[in-house]
Each structure stands twice: as C-alpha cells, then as structure tokens.
Amino acid sequence: MGAMQLFHYHLVTSRVRDVEARYIGRLGFRLVARYGRVGERRTYHESGVSWDDLDAMGFKLRLTELEKGAVNVVLQPGQWPMPRVDHLGVALDEDEFQAALERASALHLRVQEHPGRRTFIATHAGYRLEVHPPRDWIEEVLDNADELRLAELHLRSDDPRAKADALVEVLDLPADGSEVEIGETLVRFTPGGPQGRPELEGELFD
C-alpha cells in the first residue's frame, strides 16, 4: 500500500433502509451483509434476503455493510434522519499508524484498541477515526480503486474549521481552512450543520 487512504465511513441514521437503497440502487454499491440479531442470537444475512423476509423472522438490524471499488460504507440505526458520521476509516502504513497513535497520546485523546482488528481514536470534534496499519483485507479493497474511489466527502457541521483540525492534528495532514486531503480524497467540512457528529452532505466518486 502507498500513501494513506480514506476507504471507509460509518453513518448513523434513522432511515437505514432508504439510505441503503440509495447506495445500492443509485450508486451501484454491493450489499456485503446486514448484521443483527434474531432474539438473542447474533446473525447476518448477505444479499438475496429481502427486508420482508428479515422482518418476518424478527431480525433486528445492528449494521448494514456496503462496498464498491475502494469504498466501504457502514450504516447503523440511530436517531437522525440525515446520516451523520460516527467515524472515518483510514488506511496507513506502519510508520504512519504508530505516529498517529503517538500524536493521539500526546493530545490526550482516547484510544480504543481491538488488537488485530480495529483501532479507534476519539477526537475533540464529535467524531472518531478508525486507523489501520497494513492489512490484507484493506489491500484487497484498495486494489479495486480502478472501479470506484472516493474523490470528495462533504460533511456539514457547526464548526467546519474545528472538524478539519481534528483530522490535521491526528494524521499530521496539510489543510486549507476547512478542507483536508487524505490521500486522494478531499474531505470538506461545510457550515450550517449540527454540533457533535457531522452530517453527510454529499460524496463525489470517480
């Protein structure tokens, strides 16, 4: 893997089915799986099982995972009709990964590690970063960049500059006001949004 890349974002919305339908129907994403429970039993269902079938079996959704090209999107049920970002997933090389953890420690940010799987860094800006050192499964996702990659991610918030600064201080990236480039992706924070988690305004794929 080369330079760091933004390959994943996790959205929270009360309209999971509508948002899922947008990614699949309009944007051509593939449903990886829907994860949840039937009673006390954890289960997941891949593409081919309808929402009517899931409702009939009493399935309670926890997460929906979607993928296309080098972009992975997860949807989680929550309170907001307009999707909000819980975290951004960034692939790093080993040195970048260790440096990000050191900066997070120096900034007294909470780091939550799941060894061998995921590492989360809480920011002071209402959202989290999911940072990954080189992993085979991420390499496989990024190898599909010719099919689709995330060129721009636009997020609406109450304080765009503070949201951008949270990325800058952890990942040590250059910024232009409220715009930050993570690898080949421009993350643009725009005004007029909520406090806390930023709201998804739009994406540009290429």
Side-chain angles (χ1 to χ4, degrees):
M1 184 184 72
M4 71 173 68
Q5 294 290 335
L6 173 59
F7 74 98
H8 162 73
Y9 45 106
H10 182 117
L11 303 174
V12 181
T13 176
S14 61
R15 299 171 54 243
V16 168
R17 298 190 191 192
D18 292 339
V19 177
E20 177 193 285
R22 170 184 177 262
Y23 279 100
I24 294 172
R26 290 182 54 192
L27 300 175
F29 274 64
R30 171 178 68 91
L31 174 65
V32 177
R34 301 183 182 110
Y35 306 88
R37 290 179 178 274
V38 174
E40 296 301 312
R41 180 172 58 90
R42 287 187 179 183
T43 183
Y44 70 93
H45 298 274
E46 298 176 354
S47 180
V49 182
S50 70
W51 276 113
D52 287 343
D53 292 338
L54 293 174
D55 289 341
M57 65 178 75
F59 178 77
K60 300 298 183 185
L61 180 73
R62 184 174 67 88
L63 299 172
T64 290
E65 183 179 7
L66 305 152
E67 199 166 88
K68 184 176 181 181
V71 185
N72 177 278
V73 178
V74 166
L75 309 177
Q76 174 184 333
Q79 60 181 305
W80 302 289
M82 292 298 293
R84 295 198 193 181
V85 170
D86 176 82
H87 63 264
L88 303 175
V90 183
L92 310 168
D93 66 26
E94 195 66 54
D95 290 342
E96 291 169 338
F97 177 73
Q98 293 302 327
L101 295 184
E102 290 171 8
R103 282 189 291 271
S105 178
L107 292 162
H108 305 291
L109 300 177
R110 181 168 178 252
V111 177
Q112 185 179 15
E113 295 192 67
H114 303 274
R117 296 195 302 125
R118 300 192 292 176
T119 300
F120 290 102
I121 299 173
T123 71
H124 294 309
Y127 64 94
R128 300 182 295 164
L129 295 176
E130 181 183 340
V131 292
H132 290 274
R135 302 190 193 282
D136 289 344
W137 65 270
I138 296 177
E139 296 274 4
E140 291 177 7
V141 172
L142 295 177
D143 283 345
N144 295 320
D146 288 346
E147 179 186 348
L148 185 83
R149 70 177 185 88
L150 180 63
E152 295 187 17
L153 183 64
H154 297 182
L155 304 174
R156 190 183 291 114
S157 76
D158 63 323
D159 190 342
R161 185 61 181 264
K163 304 297 187 192
D165 286 347
L167 284 177
V168 170
E169 63 185 11
V170 174
L171 299 177
D172 191 28
L173 294 169
D176 181 6
S178 58
E179 297 183 358
V180 185
E181 288 191 23
I182 304 178
E184 298 178 342
T185 302
L186 176 69
V187 180
R188 175 180 292 139
F189 293 97
T190 60
Q195 295 182 348
R197 292 168 173 155
E199 188 176 273
L200 179 68
E201 183 175 33
E203 308 113 314
L204 178 62
F205 302 102
D206 66 16

